[in-house]
Amino acid sequence: MQNGFYSAAGGMVAQFSRMENITNNLANLNTNGYKRQDLVVGDFLRLYQEKRDDLPLENQTKEAAKFTHRSFARVPQVVDSYRDMQTGAFQQTSNTFDVALKEENLFFAVLTPDGVKLSKDGAFSLNDEGTLVTKQGYKVLPSDYFESGDFIQFNSDATNVELDKNGKFSYLVSGNERFIPSKELLLVEPEKISTLKASGDNLYTPNAADKLAAVKNSGAVSQGFLEKSNVNAIRSMVGMIESQRLVGMYQKAMDTQMNDMNRDAIEKIANLRA
């Protein structure tokens, strides 16, 4: 009887984790460049079958695995998580320093107090010093940052700033009809997207071994656009309702198991006293 109770409890915990994940996705529905996070639900039996030959105990072998209690081992649990890096919808803003990337594996590089981070949020602006920064005030890095240590800056007399499809800035100066070339955005493509770690402020921490080399001639830059979140609100709400219903089903199963155990205990105690 207890095995069914534990299985239902494990399933309920997994669904609580799923609801928390969906809630976080929905909270970032309007966050520029946000990538949907999802969970992978597995069971103990599958994990055990993958690792049983690595266990140090002699009886943890394929032969011993035949006697695994399948009812208990099928408890669902969260075994992994991942981010869907699919590109979200583009919204036209016509703002000079709003930038979107068409390629899902490309990221902007910004400088934070904790080092260089990556972002898909291209809602940039100029600070009081004329430096290109994010909404949080982090400086947006140019393609030659690791060689020169410079940032992307514009003087107060710069007008009509343009950005080409490869991330190269140019601008006009009053009284001059020819565009003056400026810095180029540092666009990077991590070697393994799966190694990126979310670090708050819609930023990602790259793997320490990743060299973050600048991607040239990407053709992926769109000026005057922002990439929106790739969270599907309808699909997320359906998932939330599904999880809530599963929690209710698990709750009923736990109540039934507990009632049966209590009934059995009462009957056995009564028989002993008789």
Side-chain angles (χ1 to χ4, degrees):
M1 288 294 184
Q2 290 182 351
N3 292 328
F5 184 86
Y6 293 144
S7 295
M12 183 180 290
V13 170
Q15 292 306 317
F16 281 145
S17 298
R18 185 185 178 199
M19 284 194 291
E20 182 180 0
N21 180 75
I22 294 174
T23 300
N24 183 64
N25 285 335
L26 288 173
N28 288 280
L29 186 63
N30 295 316
T31 301
N32 296 328
Y34 178 81
K35 302 303 177 183
R36 180 180 68 89
Q37 187 170 6
D38 207 349
L39 303 178
V40 178
V41 178
D43 58 76
F44 179 78
L45 178 60
R46 181 180 66 81
L47 299 176
Y48 174 73
Q49 288 174 336
E50 291 177 354
K51 298 296 183 181
R52 62 189 173 194
D53 294 326
D54 299 332
L55 296 175
L57 301 179
E58 293 182 0
N59 63 337
Q60 300 299 320
T61 63
K62 292 182 179 179
E63 289 299 321
K66 295 179 180 178
F67 303 100
T68 301
H69 196 309
R70 301 304 174 98
S71 177
F72 177 77
R74 285 295 184 183
V75 178
Q77 56 187 298
V78 176
V79 297
D80 203 356
S81 64
Y82 68 93
R83 284 191 179 273
D84 177 9
M85 302 305 294
Q86 183 178 0
T87 302
F90 280 16
Q91 178 183 15
Q92 185 172 9
T93 65
S94 299
N95 293 332
T96 300
F97 296 108
D98 283 347
V99 187
L101 298 176
K102 299 177 182 178
E103 299 294 333
E104 64 182 41
N105 292 335
L106 285 182
F107 293 80
F108 303 107
V110 302
L111 184 63
T112 74
D114 296 323
V116 177
K117 307 289 184 181
L118 305 182
S119 176
K120 297 290 284 187
D121 185 358
F124 304 141
S125 61
L126 298 181
N127 62 13
D128 294 338
E129 300 173 352
T131 303
L132 191 68
V133 296
T134 66
K135 291 184 293 185
Q136 295 81 17
Y138 303 138
K139 295 179 180 178
V140 182
L141 300 182
S143 58
D144 64 348
Y145 170 75
F146 295 109
E147 293 78 28
S148 66
D150 295 335
F151 298 104
I152 302 174
Q153 293 182 308
F154 296 94
N155 296 326
S156 57
D157 58 350
T159 61
N160 197 16
V161 178
E162 291 191 357
L163 184 65
D164 68 17
K165 63 181 181 180
N166 297 317
K168 178 75 174 180
F169 282 103
S170 59
Y171 61 93
L172 286 176
V173 176
S174 299
N176 192 338
E177 297 181 355
R178 181 174 298 178
F179 277 88
I180 301 173
S182 184
K183 293 285 188 178
E184 182 178 353
L185 288 170
L186 175 56
L187 304 179
V188 299
E189 183 177 0
E191 294 181 3
K192 291 184 178 180
I193 300 295
S194 60
T195 62
L196 296 179
K197 295 182 179 180
S199 53
D201 290 333
N202 204 16
L203 299 175
Y204 301 95
T205 301
N207 190 301
D210 203 323
K211 297 181 181 179
L212 300 181
V215 176
K216 300 292 185 179
N217 302 318
S218 67
V221 177
S222 296
Q223 184 182 24
F225 289 84
L226 286 177
E227 180 188 353
K228 307 305 292 183
S229 167
N230 68 353
V231 175
N232 185 308
I234 297 177
R235 187 173 300 172
S236 297
M237 289 304 300
V238 170
M240 179 70 77
I241 294 171
E242 182 184 60
S243 291
Q244 290 175 337
R245 288 179 176 176
L246 285 172
V247 168
M249 292 171 60
Y250 286 130
Q251 179 64 53
K252 290 181 180 179
M254 292 172 67
D255 289 342
T256 300
Q257 291 285 329
M258 184 60 68
N259 291 336
D260 289 345
M261 283 190 290
N262 290 338
R263 186 183 305 110
D264 287 347
I266 292 172
E267 290 177 354
K268 289 178 180 180
I269 292 173
N271 291 333
L272 289 174
R273 289 182 176 179

